[in-house]
Amino acid sequence: MERVNVVIAGGGVIGSALAMFLARRGVCDIQVVDLDLSGLYASSELNAGGARATWWQPVNIETCRMTLDFFRSQRELFGFQEAGYLWLYDDADRFERARSKLPLQRDAGLDVELLSVEAVTDRYPLLDRHLEELVGATWSPGDGLINPNAVRSYYRREAEALGVRFLNRHYLDGVVTERVPGLSGLRRVCAVDIIEVEGVDALDESGRLREILTTHRVPGEQRVRETRVSCEVVLNCLGAWSPIFSAKLGLRDVTEAIRRQICLVDVHGSDLATDADSAELGMIVDSSDLYFHPSGRGPESSQFLAGYSIPDEAPGFDFEYDGKEFFEEFVWPRLAHRSSSFERCGHLRGWAGLYAVTPDCSGVAGPVPGIANLFEAHSFTGRGVMQSYGVACALSERIVEGRYGACDLSSLGRERFESRDRWLPETLHI
Ligand SMILES: Cc1cc2nc3c(=O)[nH]c(=O)nc-3n(C[C@H](O)[C@H](O)[C@H](O)COP(=O)(O)OP(=O)(O)OC[C@H]3O[C@@H](n4cnc5c(N)ncnc54)[C@H](O)[C@@H]3O)c2cc1C
């Protein structure tokens, strides 16, 4: 049987960032297993490319601030455009709450302004419709847009250069635990029911995850090969799939996988196509919760990316994109309602990916109580890329040093869901 130090389950942006940081902290023998490293269904490859630190929870602000500072340090490499986030409000109470968070955000070093509706029209002549509905806006010039694929590739490259092995087409299929009351033995992970339970070890106060079982297809062969790897530490970075893994360890996750759709809007028939300023816009979040930004930079770009979260979308692993219907029902009416420039635009294409959503819309990170060598980092809703560097930096320190350093993620631990007082509600979630 193969032996490694650390197995990271999931090679999305979070698993890759953790691999890099653990290797940088001197951990050797790290293996990342993923059923598809090209990320066809991974959220990391299906997202909207927004990057901001302007959240309402200190831990989210801090981890995103660290990540944005890192993006800023290598703008070219990550295609980081500090083009800002404009957030429009039509509800006085919500706007007041946004105003009340400014001191917190400014104390964290973020540049955030409140804009009157007149200031919005001055800065964004593009927004020329139904402004009487608005009560104001926030504007954060340090936020912006990122190329998420470049970020994940960077983490992986850096990790590989330090000896981390990324195993593609390896499906995490089972775990062997010991000293987990009632759960010891081999348990298949990704089947609906437990297929097999082998042997039971003596119970102890702290359970351990002893082995990981993966299956993978051998190139050129029909058969599927099973591999058992014994490991000292395991990290669950399976994004929206994390609860499936947790469930087989007897852990109840509160995360739900929820479909989110994005489309590309063709504006070549409108003034937006020829207006150089429009091509330099950052993210605009409309009061209707539609968000949009130019896709591709420069005056030649005639596409916008627009996303909208359909309220009450049922949880599930649904990757079906609703196509033109999504554009016509949810996107175009909202764009045209706010800007006459979108009166003439068309649907190009789009896609659906998964948000891993918790009840308070903050992520889950930290050690897993009851299983001494299991850690987790997942469920970052619509924030995983912009939080990746900060979360991985802090959690890798916790794993290696046994304690958090300057950035403390304790509040993101799964224990918070035991009591509602400890939830970290993020209402700026889109
Ligand atoms: C439409 C949309 C828009 C978004 N917009 C933004 C945005 O603007 N900015 C931002 O920061 N974030 C955004 N997000 C969120 C962000 O993309 C995610 O939070 C982030 O990518 C999560 O990364 P991850 O590594 O946790 O998960 P993933 O990228 O999903 O990676 C999980 C990996 O686990 C693997 N896996 C699953 N099951 C198994 C198994 N049994 N065995 C082996 N491997 C397995 C998968 O193949 C996958 O590669 C958006 C997400 C979506 C869907």
Side-chain angles (χ1 to χ4, degrees), residues 10-15 33-36 42-44 46-50 170-172 190 237-239 241 260 262 291 353-355 380-386:
V13 73
I14 298 293
V33 294
D34 198 301
L35 61 91
D36 174 26
S43 308
S44 300
L46 296 170
N47 74 77
H170 277 62
Y171 184 84
L172 175 58
C190 294
C237 299
L238 292 168
W241 294 268
R260 293 291 181 241
I262 285 180
Y291 60 87
L354 297 176
Y355 268 24
F380 295 104
T381 67
R383 197 184 312 112
V385 178
M386 55 183 106

Side-chain angles (χ1 to χ4, degrees), residues 47-52 81 83-89 120 123-129 131 133-134 138-139 143-146 261-267 270-272 275 277-297 301-309 326-327 330-343 345-346 351 355 430:
N47 74 77
R52 64 181 158 109
Q81 306 281 336
Y85 259 67
L86 177 74
W87 204 293
L88 303 175
Y89 290 88
V120 171
R123 292 193 197 189
Y124 284 79
L126 157 87
L127 306 174
D128 58 359
R129 283 192 165 162
L131 299 170
E133 301 167 348
L134 301 179
T138 57
W139 161 241
D143 294 337
L145 305 170
I146 188 82
Q261 300 182 75
I262 285 180
C263 68
L264 292 177
V265 179
D266 179 6
V267 296
S270 105
D271 52 347
L272 291 169
D275 174 16
D277 290 345
S278 303
E280 299 306 318
L281 291 172
M283 184 75 91
I284 300 176
V285 185
D286 186 44
S287 54
S288 67
D289 287 343
L290 179 89
Y291 60 87
F292 58 99
H293 64 76
S295 172
R297 311 303 293 177
S301 169
S302 55
Q303 291 178 14
F304 273 68
L305 179 150
Y308 179 71
S309 303
F326 171 67
F327 171 75
F330 296 107
V331 175
W332 180 75
R334 287 175 170 79
L335 288 172
H337 181 82
R338 193 60 72 214
S339 167
S340 58
S341 298
F342 284 103
E343 194 62 56
C345 66
W351 60 90
Y355 268 24
I430 41 176

Side-chain angles (χ1 to χ4, degrees), residues 168-328:
N168 196 14
R169 305 248 166 258
H170 277 62
Y171 184 84
L172 175 58
D173 198 26
V175 290
V176 178
T177 57
E178 61 189 27
R179 298 191 292 274
V180 181
L183 279 182
S184 297
L186 171 66
R187 300 170 69 84
R188 299 273 173 180
V189 172
C190 294
V192 176
D193 296 311
I194 301 163
I195 299 172
E196 200 182 337
V197 178
E198 282 175 357
V200 177
D201 295 291
L203 300 182
D204 193 339
E205 67 286 348
S206 77
R208 289 185 71 78
L209 221 160
R210 199 179 63 202
E211 288 162 29
I212 288 289
L213 179 80
T214 63
T215 50
H216 64 107
R217 204 167 276 288
V218 183
E221 290 181 25
Q222 284 308 308
R223 73 197 171 92
V224 169
R225 182 177 294 174
E226 284 197 348
T227 313
R228 282 171 86 139
V229 180
S230 100
C231 40
E232 294 302 317
V233 171
V234 179
L235 269 112
N236 176 359
C237 299
L238 292 168
W241 294 268
S242 301
I244 303 174
F245 179 82
S246 299
K248 299 305 176 195
L249 290 161
L251 303 164
R252 196 181 72 84
D253 276 8
V254 289
T255 302
E256 288 182 323
I258 301 189
R259 178 179 72 148
R260 293 291 181 241
Q261 300 182 75
I262 285 180
C263 68
L264 292 177
V265 179
D266 179 6
V267 296
H268 84 265
S270 105
D271 52 347
L272 291 169
T274 48
D275 174 16
D277 290 345
S278 303
E280 299 306 318
L281 291 172
M283 184 75 91
I284 300 176
V285 185
D286 186 44
S287 54
S288 67
D289 287 343
L290 179 89
Y291 60 87
F292 58 99
H293 64 76
S295 172
R297 311 303 293 177
E300 75 288 351
S301 169
S302 55
Q303 291 178 14
F304 273 68
L305 179 150
Y308 179 71
S309 303
I310 300 173
D312 304 323
E313 181 94 46
F317 291 86
D318 181 2
F319 291 94
E320 190 78 20
Y321 172 57
D322 291 341
K324 214 169 168 184
E325 221 174 86
F326 171 67
F327 171 75
E328 286 179 354

Side-chain angles (χ1 to χ4, degrees), residues 6-11 15-16 18-19 22 30-34 233 235 237:
V6 178
V7 168
I8 299 178
S16 302
L18 271 154
L22 286 170
I30 303 171
Q31 205 174 77
V32 179
V33 294
D34 198 301
V233 171
L235 269 112
C237 299

Side-chain angles (χ1 to χ4, degrees), residues 12-89:
V13 73
I14 298 293
S16 302
L18 271 154
M20 177 185 86
F21 270 108
L22 286 170
R24 283 185 178 174
R25 292 188 192 278
V27 178
C28 39
D29 245 346
I30 303 171
Q31 205 174 77
V32 179
V33 294
D34 198 301
L35 61 91
D36 174 26
L37 282 171
S38 74
L40 192 61
Y41 295 105
S43 308
S44 300
E45 296 298 314
L46 296 170
N47 74 77
R52 64 181 158 109
T54 41
W55 296 93
W56 287 9
Q57 292 296 337
V59 69
N60 293 332
I61 293 175
E62 179 55 13
T63 45
C64 289
R65 192 197 56 74
M66 288 167 74
T67 310
L68 263 69
D69 281 350
F70 166 66
F71 292 164
R72 225 167 259 129
S73 71
Q74 307 202 50
R75 282 169 212 274
E76 294 290 308
L77 186 61
F78 301 127
F80 183 49
Q81 306 281 336
E82 237 169 324
Y85 259 67
L86 177 74
W87 204 293
L88 303 175
Y89 290 88

